[in-house]
Amino acid sequence: MPHRTRIPVLALMGLHFTGCAGDDDKPNPIVGDWGAVQLDGDKLPSMYSEGPYSSVYGLRMNIEDDLVGALEYYSVLDYDSYEYRHSYGSELVVDDSAAPKYRIEVQKNFFGGDIDYSDSVGTAVTSDGYGDGGYLGDDSPTIDLAAPGRPIVAPAELVLTCTLDQDLLTCSSDDVKSLVFKRQVPVAPEEG
């Protein structure tokens, strides 16, 4: 490298590494995948089993780096060898200006009553059917249940006030006394 290009290259490298020790590179602690462990004193996910029938349902939340994400209700029903998965949810926006206290605005409130699947802003419904031989295929009546995503065009119907304490996020609202989420740690793939 000629002598004249060494100085600018070293200066650029120095500028590149100056931000490494700062707090700007740290991810926001609320970002990640969260699973509800308690709703108004009841343990989640909720499980029920009787004979060949079993069911599991719960809540999960995902918050991205740009502080938007989704809150989702899910259920898995199993009867003999038939498994039915169902989920619906809503987009959310996080205000982190008072961290570790957060304001989470959920576009659609599915805690406060019946769900309107036909025209609910930010709500998506998905469902999969499985039988003895695996996926039931294109002839399954559950195939056409997926609704297209829509942009957020309405004000929040549910506002959660949350406090983050390490890997626990404790929230409340007008409709929910206590909703506790625990950070979901990603499972590393098995080496083969």
Side-chain angles (χ1 to χ4, degrees):
M1 188 182 303
H3 196 67
R4 289 183 170 191
T5 59
R6 287 185 191 166
I7 293 173
V9 168
L10 289 173
L12 287 173
M13 286 179 61
L15 286 173
H16 176 72
F17 290 112
T18 56
C20 289
D23 289 341
D24 295 338
D25 291 339
K26 289 184 180 177
N28 192 318
I30 198 166
V31 170
D33 294 321
W34 299 87
V37 293
Q38 190 178 64
L39 174 62
D40 289 339
D42 295 329
K43 183 181 172 188
L44 289 179
S46 180
M47 296 177 216
Y48 175 78
S49 180
E50 185 177 320
Y53 173 81
S54 66
S55 66
V56 176
Y57 69 88
L59 296 167
R60 59 184 162 226
M61 180 170 56
N62 173 266
I63 300 174
E64 302 291 333
D65 290 334
D66 55 357
L67 299 179
V68 297
L71 178 64
E72 181 180 58
Y73 168 87
Y74 66 90
S75 65
V76 178
L77 306 174
D78 190 8
Y79 185 78
D80 261 343
S81 60
Y82 178 77
E83 184 178 85
Y84 177 76
R85 296 175 181 265
H86 178 77
S87 65
Y88 60 87
S90 179
E91 295 172 332
L92 60 84
V93 177
V94 177
D95 177 1
D96 68 342
S97 61
K101 296 196 180 291
Y102 296 88
R103 176 184 165 93
I104 300 176
E105 297 181 2
V106 182
Q107 297 305 308
K108 192 72 182 165
N109 181 4
F110 47 84
F111 292 113
D114 295 333
I115 301 298
D116 178 12
Y117 295 107
S118 62
D119 193 29
S120 49
V121 174
T123 301
V125 178
T126 60
S127 181
D128 294 318
Y130 293 86
D132 283 337
Y135 187 62
L136 293 177
D138 294 336
D139 296 334
S140 170
T142 62
I143 298 302
D144 298 327
L145 293 178
R150 295 176 138 193
I152 299 173
V153 294
E157 290 185 4
L158 174 67
V159 176
L160 296 171
T161 305
C162 303
T163 302
L164 179 63
D165 183 15
Q166 296 183 5
D167 286 338
L168 285 179
L169 186 64
T170 305
C171 304
S172 63
S173 73
D174 291 340
D175 294 326
V176 178
K177 294 177 198 167
S178 174
L179 177 58
V180 181
F181 289 94
K182 185 174 183 181
R183 185 179 305 278
Q184 301 295 298
V185 179
V187 177
E190 293 181 21
E191 294 182 25

